Amino acid sequence: MSLRSWNPTMVAQGVLWILLGLLLQLKPGTATLPLLMDSVIQALEELEQKVPATNASHTASAWLLFTQDSGPQDLLHHFLLEGRTLQATKLDPQQLSPEVLGLTKDVAQHGIRGRQEYGVVLAPDGSTVAVEPLLAGLEAGLRGHRVVHLPLDSTATPLDAGATFPDTGAVVLDVRATSPRLRDVPPDGTSAEVGAMPPNIRATDLDVKPTSPGVRLGSPDVPVTAPDVQASSPAAKARSPTTVDSLLVVTLARDLGLAFLQSPQTWSHSGLGTEGCWDQLSAPQTFTLLDSRASPVTMAFLNGALDGALLGDYLSRTPEPRPPLSHLLSQYYGAGVAGDSGLRSNFRRQNAAALTSAPTLTQQVWGALILLQRLEPTHPQLRGMSQEQLAEVATNATKEFTEAFLGCPAIHPRCRWGAAPYRGSPRPLQLPLGFLYVHHTYVPAPPCTDFAHCAADMRSMQRFHQDTRGWDDIGYSFVIGSDGYVYEGRGWHWVGAHTLGHNSRGFGVAFVGNYTAELPAKAALHTVQDVLPGCAVRAGFLRPDYGLLGHRQLVSTDCPGDALFNLLRTWPRFAANVKPRRVRRASRRFKRKPPPTILPATDFQ
């Protein structure tokens, strides 16, 4: 290939295909690289250096079709992103290191067996990310054209009847458009039916908002609220979709619809966004879910799906030359894409809420289910379902997703920050509670702006509370970092040690830092004022008429600092007239081991 014909986007697509194409080489569990996003980026860098230029035009979708179990998801992916006859060209896997070969096998397919989740990696921000939907979003974004017309009947098939796949060796695929429902795609990738906007369809019909390099979706300083779900009510009697956005469908919409078909009850009881714990954080290899009832739409899957959708949207709207994928992921899971600190994984929920509205997502979920039904008429979950039933599933799935996921903050569980075990027996709270008590940690004084520092601060505070104070655990219910995350302390269910005489009446929430003279980050403030309590009310942890108080209103202390407390007094939920309860006696533990020093931020119990 000449330098004149070299195309960075084609190379990126080739890298994606090869990364997924190496799945045949090893069995799961053979990776020697730790299951970190940094390892995935390392693998991409190696592929980008070694991928032959002649293979640069090939993509990942064909490999996904043939390496996954056969089923409607494979057909849908192939219909939206491929629809091609396949001709195989050998690729020598010996060009790549054994570590990369093993890693690609372990991370390229997402799945759950028992309580163990596969195909996930630990990102630098502390979140766990499923790689498969991430790569699907990158591929869809590299294709650029996203509007795909739905077939009018169930006779469409994206697979050429004569397509075959070799038994051994990774391959690179030569692709030609042959689907009866897709017109031939010229070399530049445009099509009158796939990807190109028809005359009667505007870009705004999909409500996919632009994310050009100079425009960021969200920001740590500009909070974005979850989409309004009212417009997605079945009463709206929306028209059946005739097009879908391939990016949203292959990353998120398809799986939301299928998960809700499997578990029609609300996701608060069926495992939406289930978290898990790594065996270790420095070199993780095994990820175990905290709830055995988890649906396939776990927290890691949703993280990967949103990352794939956000980065795919960015790629689809970024002019050539596009950045290498390894460089793009390094920025996104680091300081931010193209210097934009708002476009990074820490703020995926805020950015996803800005990317699409609830009515739009409802249409995409509905369209995905229609497409699956037409591609696979005998699908056991979709067979015999009417358009009205599919619309209701899409509406309910979107409502649960926007309220239970996008409408809640990202909370790192205790195991993620390395919590020591609870000492003694925790006392359960009698839910729902009526108050939210706001603190600042004072020490540590500097705000924590990344996962490593926030996790270290959590461990430090827990050691102080357990070893110096003699308490059972860290005192706070939750701690708010300036990195976009909430850190679980004693959580929603156990009495804390944060507000003397009031620990059983409310949740204690602390901002990391000293806010005597300055305020926390705007995103952190938004979390405590709106997002965290709103999520708690919906889940039944906090009463709808809850009140919000500063620590100093109930205990003799300067906490939460003058600057922060003065701001709290302007919030609608601020309870100005609540008086402290008289404490009859201190706990016996406090009598036995009084603290050697009373710090302004630690006079809790």
Side-chain angles (χ1 to χ4, degrees), residues 329-345:
L329 293 185
S330 294
Q331 290 184 332
Y332 181 76
Y333 294 105
V337 175
D340 182 356
S341 61
L343 186 50
R344 56 186 172 127
S345 56

Side-chain angles (χ1 to χ4, degrees), residues 418-572:
Y422 192 96
R423 296 176 182 176
S425 299
R427 288 190 297 134
L429 290 165
Q430 301 299 314
L431 302 172
L433 304 186
F435 296 96
L436 203 64
Y437 306 132
V438 179
H439 303 251
H440 71 169
T441 63
Y442 189 76
V443 177
C448 63
T449 57
D450 60 63
F451 171 70
H453 287 94
C454 290
D457 286 347
M458 291 294 293
R459 295 190 296 271
S460 176
M461 287 186 286
Q462 187 188 40
R463 284 194 299 270
F464 177 78
H465 291 174
Q466 288 185 321
D467 298 340
T468 302
R469 290 287 185 184
W471 300 345
D472 293 335
D473 196 6
I474 188 171
Y476 307 114
S477 305
F478 297 96
V479 176
I480 314 298
S482 295
D483 62 338
Y485 286 99
V486 176
Y487 290 76
E488 182 186 22
R490 299 208 187 184
W492 297 119
H493 299 285
W494 309 113
V495 176
H498 44 77
T499 310
L500 182 63
H502 299 261
N503 291 316
S504 63
R505 304 182 69 202
F507 298 104
V509 179
F511 292 92
V512 176
N514 177 2
Y515 298 106
T516 301
E518 61 183 25
L519 291 173
K522 289 183 180 179
L525 290 169
H526 177 58
T527 295
V528 173
Q529 182 180 6
D530 298 312
V531 185
L532 183 68
C535 183
V537 169
R538 180 184 186 274
F541 301 142
L542 200 59
R543 292 205 310 258
D545 62 344
Y546 75 92
L548 183 144
L549 296 92
H551 187 199
R552 64 173 62 179
Q553 292 176 262
L554 303 173
V555 175
S556 179
T557 176
D558 292 331
C559 180
D562 291 344
L564 179 55
F565 182 71
N566 288 335
L567 177 65
L568 296 182
R569 295 171 65 181
T570 69
W571 289 4

